[in-house]
Amino acid sequence: MTIRAVNGGEIDLSTLTQIIHTGVSAESYIRAVGRNSLVNLGGLTRFITQGGTSELRVADNGTIQAPNLNQQQNLNVINDGGTIVLPMVKYGVQVTKFAELKELKSR
């Protein structure tokens, strides 16, 4: 499953309470890319992936709101220059800023 808000688009999934994705290569990607792009997951409390890895990703001033997410499994949270609204980190959600490697040199 892929959900993308781009270039100022807004996706309102605020009534969605669970995402449970199972099976071989089960993966879900939710992305907000570009200024004023928004994915509202305000009611989401569980994001479970079994058989793969899922992803919440923002970039270029996009926003994902998931303030009630309190149970997650196999979920990467990636901030490439935007806003991700999540509950406290104590739930095991790791927020990581990935830098782009433009050149790699060996020694």
Side-chain angles (χ1 to χ4, degrees), residues 37-77:
S37 298
L38 171 67
V39 178
N40 182 347
L41 299 169
L44 187 67
T45 59
R46 296 177 70 205
F47 197 140
I48 306 297
T49 304
Q50 297 174 339
T53 302
S54 290
E55 176 181 285
L56 295 177
R57 179 187 292 254
V58 296
D60 302 325
N61 296 309
T63 301
I64 294 177
Q65 298 173 338
N68 296 303
L69 180 61
N70 60 27
Q71 185 181 6
Q72 58 83 29
Q73 181 178 332
N74 298 322
L75 177 64
N76 293 324
V77 178

Side-chain angles (χ1 to χ4, degrees), residues 21-34:
H21 200 156
T22 62
V24 177
S25 299
E27 297 174 340
S28 298
Y29 300 97
I30 300 176
R31 298 179 176 147
V33 180

